[in-house]
Amino acid sequence: MRAAVIPFAIAALCCAAFLVSFLRDRRRLRVGFYLFFALLFLGITFIALLASVSPKAAGFVAVGVILLIIPTVLALTVFLICNGITMLRREGRRLANVLSLLTGLGICALIVFNATVTQLAWEPLDIVRGSLNGILVYVSFLFVCFLLYSIVYGRIRTEKGVDFVVVLGSGLLEGHKVPPLLAGRLKRAKRVVDAEARRGREPMVVTSGGQGPDEDLPESHAMAGYLVENGVPRERILLEDRSRTTFENLTFSAEIMKERKADYRCTVVTNNFHVLRAALIARRAKVNGQVIGSPTAWYFWPSATIREFVAILVDHKIKNLVICGLIVLSQVSRAFS
């Protein structure tokens, strides 16, 4: 029982930090880290309590968890490669569509590299291997936190009684057509509007998206036309047609909403894989609202999620480069100590 006290205390502190941060502003990455460590130390507490009752059972559970790592990694690798091939067949040859394939092949290459270095037993390669493995552990930790909190955040219901529903653009087909990905966002936005109407409210819809170099009209105009065709009155739609990025989507949309109502509340609609990053950007853009997601085709989700994670890594590139540099330095210093 005593062995469980420390991990339980840490778990309780992490849970408290998670709840406080979540209630203050759930649109922060740190909330995901608190959640991860709370679950981790709750799991350690469970094993410690089990060990006080039956050491053999606790050992069996601990070993089982460790042994599951290898088949899980192998299954994940196969899935990512198969998913990448599916993406190439259905979505075409673009870098964004092959991220899952590249990740799967990267894991295979790392396994082969580790086995080769073990056979060669050459110190410089040992340093490289240690550095790569350390960076991989760090990035994997970040990805697990990101994925965990993306799922949690995406399933939390947003506040009712909003004044605006903002729909983020995602590009047009053939320069003027609303693609399925964007249509899903617009359908989700209409469901929000309909739900608010049943409560006696009439929120405005802000379609957000400028005109790209290969588009015949701004995305927001095509989005508005789609909504009108599906029953949303044109007078209930506001157009934000200057933006080129998600940050501009939200910044310019916030300006439009503030002009209409200074103390507005809104819901931002995007796809489910984009929810967490859009929420982080919404906080940066000082948008008073939470983000919800529309469903995405199963085969599209893995590559899109990896893309979102990479974008967040880039957003925090200085911190990540410093940590990766420290990992490399630790391996070099260990080799020469």
Side-chain angles (χ1 to χ4, degrees), residues 67-337:
L67 291 178
L68 278 175
I69 294 175
I70 294 176
T72 299
V73 170
L74 293 177
L76 178 63
T77 303
V78 172
F79 169 76
L80 289 172
I81 292 174
C82 293
N83 176 257
I85 294 172
T86 301
M87 281 289 290
L88 285 174
R89 289 175 176 173
R90 298 193 182 188
E91 300 293 331
R93 296 181 180 180
R94 287 173 33 199
L95 179 60
N97 295 336
V98 297
L99 289 178
S100 58
L101 177 61
L102 292 176
T103 302
L105 293 176
I107 295 173
C108 289
L110 187 65
I111 292 172
V112 172
F113 177 73
N114 274 284
T116 302
V117 173
T118 300
Q119 292 296 320
L120 294 175
W122 188 37
E123 189 173 38
L125 278 180
D126 279 334
I127 296 173
V128 174
R129 177 176 62 176
S131 300
L132 285 176
N133 289 338
I135 292 171
L136 177 63
V137 169
Y138 169 67
V139 173
S140 298
F141 160 71
L142 294 179
F143 182 75
V144 169
C145 293
F146 163 77
L147 184 61
L148 173 65
Y149 192 52
S150 291
I151 295 171
V152 171
Y153 182 92
R155 291 183 175 276
I156 297 170
R157 293 184 179 181
T158 57
E159 295 179 357
K160 300 174 183 177
V162 296
D163 305 296
F164 299 92
V165 179
V166 181
V167 190
L168 303 182
S170 66
L172 301 176
L173 281 176
E174 300 176 13
H176 66 280
K177 294 180 181 178
V178 171
L181 200 70
L182 184 53
R185 300 182 184 188
L186 294 166
K187 290 175 183 177
R188 181 70 193 274
K190 185 177 184 301
R191 289 200 298 271
V192 174
V193 171
D194 292 342
E196 289 294 301
R198 289 193 292 270
R199 301 186 187 99
R201 299 181 64 88
E202 293 185 341
M204 302 288 289
V205 180
V206 181
T207 55
S208 181
Q211 184 172 352
D214 58 345
E215 295 175 339
D216 303 327
L217 74 167
E219 291 177 45
S220 56
H221 293 216
M223 294 159 69
Y226 184 94
L227 287 172
V228 170
E229 290 175 4
N230 285 272
V232 179
R234 179 61 186 83
E235 61 271 16
R236 305 302 304 169
I237 303 173
L238 302 173
L239 304 178
E240 183 290 296
D241 55 10
R242 297 182 293 153
S243 58
R244 296 291 184 273
T245 64
T246 301
F247 182 77
E248 290 183 353
N249 283 148
L250 293 164
T251 300
F252 297 152
S253 295
E255 292 175 1
I256 292 173
M257 291 185 286
K258 285 178 182 177
E259 288 177 1
R260 293 266 177 161
K261 186 176 181 180
D263 59 343
Y264 74 89
R265 290 194 303 172
C266 74
T267 291
V268 180
V269 182
T270 184
N271 286 92
N272 52 11
F273 61 82
H274 188 230
V275 164
L276 182 55
R277 190 163 77 93
L280 300 176
I281 296 172
R283 180 179 177 276
R284 253 173 44 214
K286 295 180 170 41
V287 172
N288 184 23
Q290 300 296 336
V291 184
I292 61 174
S294 61
T296 306
W298 69 268
Y299 68 87
F300 195 89
W301 188 84
S303 281
T305 301
I306 294 171
R307 184 183 66 201
E308 294 300 303
F309 174 67
V310 171
I312 289 178
L313 287 181
V314 172
D315 287 342
H316 300 83
K317 56 182 176 293
I318 302 300
K319 292 179 182 178
N320 291 319
L321 287 173
V322 168
I323 293 173
C324 290
L326 291 174
I327 292 172
V328 174
L329 285 176
S330 69
Q331 292 298 316
V332 172
S333 62
R334 188 172 65 86
F336 288 99
S337 60

Side-chain angles (χ1 to χ4, degrees), residues 17-28:
F18 167 74
L19 290 173
V20 171
S21 296
F22 182 86
L23 293 173
R24 283 184 175 177
D25 192 344
R26 71 184 77 162
R27 302 171 302 174
R28 288 176 176 269

